[in-house]
Amino acid sequence: MAVPAGVADGINTVWALVVAFLIFFMQPGFALLESGQVRAKNVGNVLMKNVTDWTVGVLAYFVLGYGLSSVLASLTSGAAIGTPFAYFGDPGGWVTWLVGAVFAMTAATIVSGAVAERMNFPAYVFVAVVMTAVVYPVATGMTWGGGLLAVNANGPDGYIARVVGAGYLDFAGATVVHMLGGVAGLVGAWFVGPREGRFDASGDSHPIPGHSMLLAVLGTLILAFGWYGFNVGTSAIYGADNTLLSAQLGRVALNTTLGMGAGAVAAMVVSARRQGKPDPLWTANGLLAGLVAVTGAVLHVTWAGGIVLGALGGALVLPTYRFVVDALRVDDVCGVFAVHGMAGAVGTVLIPVFATSGFSATQLAMQVVGVAVIGAWAVVGSGATFWVADLLFGLRVSPEEEEAGLDASEHGVAAYPEFTGGGSPDSQPVSADGGYAGGDGDD
């Protein structure tokens, strides 16, 4: 049954605000997750970067990013540019801007986990600004903004969408947010280089354990809670005809929940088979990978598809992380490419295989092309950003500063002053397998 238009609009507006607040609450989750996966002497630096992502990032996204997304959409579809920065003086656009801002912060924050424990703080601030002002907005312009990969009801389709004959599907940002951040984190970790002692002279990896399983798992559960805002919140409560979108909301909520559960179970099984015992931290990362894998698919696939995609994301986390470390020799401290990059790509490409509307080869082709385009932009955009940051500030702290810890060298503080003076907690493993807080020892 339809409700009056004013009532529907009011409920949708309040819902969008609640969603933004829920997604903001993911920021403390990221802070705890990343803090648990680094050594005690670097926790203050991780917390500082998470605060910086939000504060500096929202300003950059407001001043440039939100408007740039509209410009890019027009340039890659042939639509008129119009007035992309009209939201500066339009109260009606401020709620929409806020929802976009919390998504942008998620993409930027993912990067911090990959480059932890050795990156120069001023250089990181520069990267956070460019990620929120340029890199992320270009991705949204190509997709949700109606640009390169989009089919539009009111206006020309994006240039690639016209050629392929379909629009790209990514409901809540599996690739637009998560894969973008995961790939950017991998690029950043390559640019910054591995932590001292991470690899020996022959290239073999050696674990550098994080300091707190408790913080890492608690952060994971906070992120999972906020994810309901991320996924379910992307749907409105009432549709264009002012009727309740109960079936849509139910499907999104169900697939979100099934995806996280399947991801955690799959990662638990894989870790048990590879390491002899189920690892709680790999299980936690599998939960997140399952969420990432279904984030783009939750509206479009059956509940069976939600389980399969979530399980694939979780099962591939550990092998993907080992590939990054052992084959690529990249020190991705928090495994952000495995959790966000890989899972986002796999889950989004496979949407047509489990689609409620049935399989479409054209849609599958569009998903492959879209993932490739967004992935390529993530490499180029973030690579240029880290290169410029290196020229302006230098990416890496000195070996002496890294040894002392970034809390002291970058900020003059100590997150654990009663412990880090002697340094003993930094050497205590948090997992039987060691390494980053998802298990990093040799298999």
Side-chain angles (χ1 to χ4, degrees), residues 2-385:
V3 300
V7 173
D9 290 344
I11 291 174
N12 283 340
T13 299
V14 173
W15 174 238
L17 288 170
V18 171
V19 165
F21 305 152
L22 276 173
I23 298 173
F24 168 74
F25 193 60
M26 294 174 74
Q27 196 74 45
F30 275 117
L32 291 172
L33 176 63
E34 293 175 15
S35 293
Q37 296 178 89
V38 302
R39 290 164 289 182
K41 63 185 179 182
N42 294 310
V43 170
N45 178 255
V46 167
L47 297 176
M48 186 67 178
K49 289 194 293 186
N50 272 265
V51 173
T52 300
D53 289 334
W54 174 252
T55 54
V56 173
V58 292
L59 296 174
Y61 188 70
F62 181 77
V63 172
L64 179 60
Y66 190 58
L68 179 63
S69 179
S70 297
V71 173
L72 195 284
S74 298
L75 292 175
T76 57
S77 66
I81 292 179
T83 54
F85 294 93
Y87 64 92
F88 285 163
D90 177 19
W94 294 342
V95 172
T96 306
W97 166 81
L98 178 59
V99 173
V102 293
F103 275 70
M105 296 316 103
T106 300
T109 298
I110 290 168
V111 177
S112 68
V115 299
E117 298 201 290
R118 75 274 201 198
M119 186 171 178
N120 182 21
F121 183 69
Y124 180 80
V125 174
F126 176 83
V127 170
V129 169
V130 178
M131 282 291 299
T132 50
V134 179
V135 178
Y136 172 75
V138 168
T140 58
M142 292 190 294
T143 52
W144 300 332
L148 190 65
L149 304 172
V151 167
N152 301 302
N154 301 311
D157 296 337
Y159 294 136
I160 290 181
R162 294 179 207 173
V163 174
V164 178
Y168 183 62
L169 300 179
D170 184 348
F171 180 68
T175 57
V176 176
V177 178
H178 292 278
M179 188 188 78
L180 181 81
V183 172
L186 183 69
V187 171
W190 181 83
F191 265 92
V192 177
R195 291 166 291 174
E196 294 291 332
R198 188 65 176 90
F199 299 102
D200 60 24
S202 62
D204 294 329
S205 65
H206 295 275
I208 300 180
H211 87 287
S212 175
M213 182 187 297
L214 171 63
L215 295 184
V217 174
L218 180 59
T220 297
L221 295 175
I222 291 175
L223 283 170
F225 172 71
W227 223 291
Y228 284 108
F230 214 93
N231 285 3
V232 185
T234 300
S235 170
I237 300 294
Y238 286 93
D241 57 356
N242 301 325
T243 58
L244 181 65
L245 299 174
S246 55
Q248 176 170 307
L249 289 163
R251 180 179 299 279
V252 173
L254 177 65
N255 281 333
T256 298
T257 307
L258 295 177
M260 80 166 80
V265 170
M268 177 176 63
V269 171
V270 170
S271 69
R273 288 180 63 87
R274 292 188 63 146
Q275 301 174 180
K277 297 180 181 179
D279 189 307
L281 292 164
W282 275 120
T283 302
N285 279 281
L287 182 152
L288 294 178
L291 281 167
V292 172
V294 299
T295 288
V298 282
L299 177 62
H300 308 297
V301 302
T302 65
W303 61 262
I307 292 175
V308 173
L309 293 179
L312 278 173
L316 292 172
V317 164
L318 195 158
T320 302
Y321 180 75
R322 294 310 324 172
F323 171 78
V324 169
V325 173
D326 299 330
L328 301 183
R329 301 289 192 270
V330 174
D331 185 14
D332 178 355
V333 177
C334 295
V336 302
F337 178 75
V339 173
H340 300 275
M342 172 281 300
V346 170
T348 307
V349 163
L350 294 178
I351 287 174
V353 176
F354 303 99
T356 57
S357 58
F359 177 76
S360 166
T362 300
Q363 189 63 59
L364 179 61
M366 187 62 199
Q367 295 306 107
V368 173
V369 170
V371 167
V373 168
I374 296 171
W377 166 243
V379 171
V380 172
S382 63
T385 302

